[in-house]
Amino acid sequence: MDCMDLEAQFGLLPFTSKQLLELDVTLRQWRLIRPELEKLRRGVYVIRLGPDDSTRHAQKVAATLMTKTDHFAVGASAIVLNGLPNPYFKSWDKIEPQIAGKQTRSSRGILTSKAAPVPTPWGDTTDLIQTATTITAELPLPQALMVTDAVARRLAGVAPDEHVTNAKRIELASEQCRTEVRRRLTRYSNADALRLTNPAAEAPSESFYRGHMVLEGYDDPACGVPKIDAKGTYRFIDILLDTLAIEVDGDEKLQTLQNLRDEKEREDDLRLVGLDFLRPRVEPLYANPAAAMAQLAVKIDEVRLIRKFAQIL
């Protein structure tokens, strides 16, 4: 038995010394293997730490759960185990595992929860709806929407990292789909991040922007809106406010010359059918959302003024 055998057995999942005994690992083998392992807590090890912060957090959660009976991940840790976006603007490495149990002592820093857990490879966790409900009580609306919109897409049948067809995107943007997902999510709470969640939102940055729009008084902005451009092609708008298309762009979207050409062509074809454009960048948005909202207000006034003069002419 060596580390390669253990990796084939456990992968990146934590394991206990008791489990190694069940694999008939001898004391001599253990002494050879032990220096190559990562210790997560007393008696719990992994072959190596995960390559990204979410995997490393999941490993810490799994290690914590292995030493508890009838406990499960909640809150931030449930976000990780359910494969949802990070709404905290800091690494998962800096967030301690959050677990709960049916009967626990608060002095141990463990919450009490009546939620029914669901299994994951890393251990039990609250389900998608309960996780979304918990997060809405902990985070401001823009950050909570980053999670609840992702949950809404999952409830609407979109798997993590799935390539979504145009037909599915149209379905996600439909009132019927939106109403059904909101009905399911508001079963236990009518919090804004549940009531306003939208399965058509495709990126956490769009959800964050839309959340700040709601706080500024814009009523339930439409997102993932299908539009047919001047060439008869379906295009999908991140956020649509009357005739203003708001495209929340990350740096990766505009990294190559071809991407820039494609976006310019897409925008030109949509302008021909009456749309105006505002392109807030993700990084400045996260750094200063108030400035992004001020930019939006200026753009709306500009569009109104241009259309007013166009009517006069």
Side-chain angles (χ1 to χ4, degrees):
M1 177 71 70
D2 58 20
C3 281
M4 290 184 64
D5 296 323
L6 289 180
E7 185 166 6
Q9 179 77 23
F10 297 108
L12 292 178
L13 292 172
F15 51 86
T16 65
S17 50
K18 180 181 178 181
Q19 287 175 295
L20 294 184
L21 290 175
E22 293 171 352
L23 294 174
D24 296 325
V25 175
T26 66
L27 180 59
R28 180 176 179 276
Q29 288 173 326
W30 170 245
R31 286 173 175 170
L32 292 173
I33 294 170
R34 173 62 188 89
E36 299 182 47
L37 303 179
E38 293 282 351
K39 183 178 179 179
L40 294 177
R41 58 190 299 128
R42 184 177 180 181
V44 184
Y45 307 88
V46 287
I47 294 295
R48 62 178 179 278
L49 296 177
D52 56 81
D53 61 336
S54 61
T55 302
R56 292 190 293 272
H57 184 88
Q59 288 175 320
K60 290 185 350 185
V61 173
T64 304
L65 292 174
M66 293 177 83
T67 63
K68 307 290 181 183
T69 302
D70 297 328
H71 288 65
F72 48 92
V74 297
S77 293
I79 290 176
V80 173
L81 267 58
N82 278 298
L84 299 169
N86 184 345
Y88 295 103
F89 300 110
K90 61 181 176 180
S91 169
W92 287 117
D93 291 326
K94 297 181 179 180
I95 299 175
E96 290 299 312
Q98 296 180 12
I99 65 172
K102 300 295 183 183
Q103 295 180 343
T104 55
R105 287 184 286 178
S106 59
S107 60
R108 293 181 176 178
I110 301 172
L111 303 174
T112 300
S113 175
K114 296 182 179 180
V118 296
T120 77
W122 303 102
D124 290 349
T125 183
T126 50
D127 65 18
L128 289 170
I129 293 176
Q130 185 63 49
T131 299
T133 303
T134 301
I135 291 304
T136 59
E138 298 178 355
L139 292 177
L141 176 63
Q143 290 164 261
L145 275 176
M146 296 168 75
V147 176
T148 60
D149 281 351
V151 169
R153 287 177 72 80
R154 296 270 284 276
L155 294 178
V158 179
D161 301 319
E162 176 184 346
H163 173 71
V164 182
T165 65
N166 280 356
K168 184 64 177 179
R169 294 172 85 181
I170 291 171
E171 176 191 334
L172 293 171
S174 69
E175 183 178 357
Q176 179 180 356
C177 180
R178 185 168 59 252
T179 300
E180 172 58 18
V181 167
R182 289 177 176 180
R183 181 193 67 79
R184 295 176 64 185
L185 276 171
T186 53
R187 179 179 178 183
Y188 304 109
S189 168
N190 199 41
D192 285 347
L194 302 172
R195 183 176 56 82
L196 298 174
T197 191
N198 198 321
E202 296 188 343
S205 55
E206 298 168 21
S207 303
F208 185 76
Y209 191 95
R210 202 172 85 255
H212 279 285
M213 289 181 68
V214 172
L215 293 179
E216 290 294 315
Y218 300 97
D219 184 31
D220 196 8
C223 61
V225 182
K227 281 286 186 181
I228 298 177
D229 67 15
K231 295 177 181 175
T233 303
Y234 264 112
R235 304 291 190 179
F236 295 85
I237 311 302
D238 289 353
I239 301 170
L240 186 63
L241 194 62
D242 193 13
T243 61
L244 179 61
I246 303 168
E247 297 286 288
V248 186
D249 294 335
D251 286 341
E252 70 282 352
K253 188 175 183 180
L254 305 175
Q255 279 184 340
T256 69
L257 184 58
Q258 188 58 51
N259 284 349
L260 288 169
R261 287 171 175 165
D262 291 344
E263 278 301 304
K264 179 66 168 60
E265 181 180 355
R266 175 178 177 274
E267 181 174 320
D268 289 345
D269 289 340
L270 284 166
R271 285 184 181 277
L272 291 174
V273 295
L275 293 189
D276 295 286
F277 276 80
L278 175 64
R279 290 186 174 274
R281 303 296 295 277
V282 171
E283 291 73 17
L285 165 64
Y286 285 160
N288 191 348
M293 291 300 101
Q295 181 190 42
L296 172 61
V298 169
K299 185 65 178 181
I300 290 172
D301 288 342
E302 175 188 309
V303 170
R304 286 174 178 166
L305 187 61
I306 291 173
R307 292 188 178 278
K308 182 177 180 180
F309 276 110
Q311 291 175 352
I312 294 173
L313 297 175

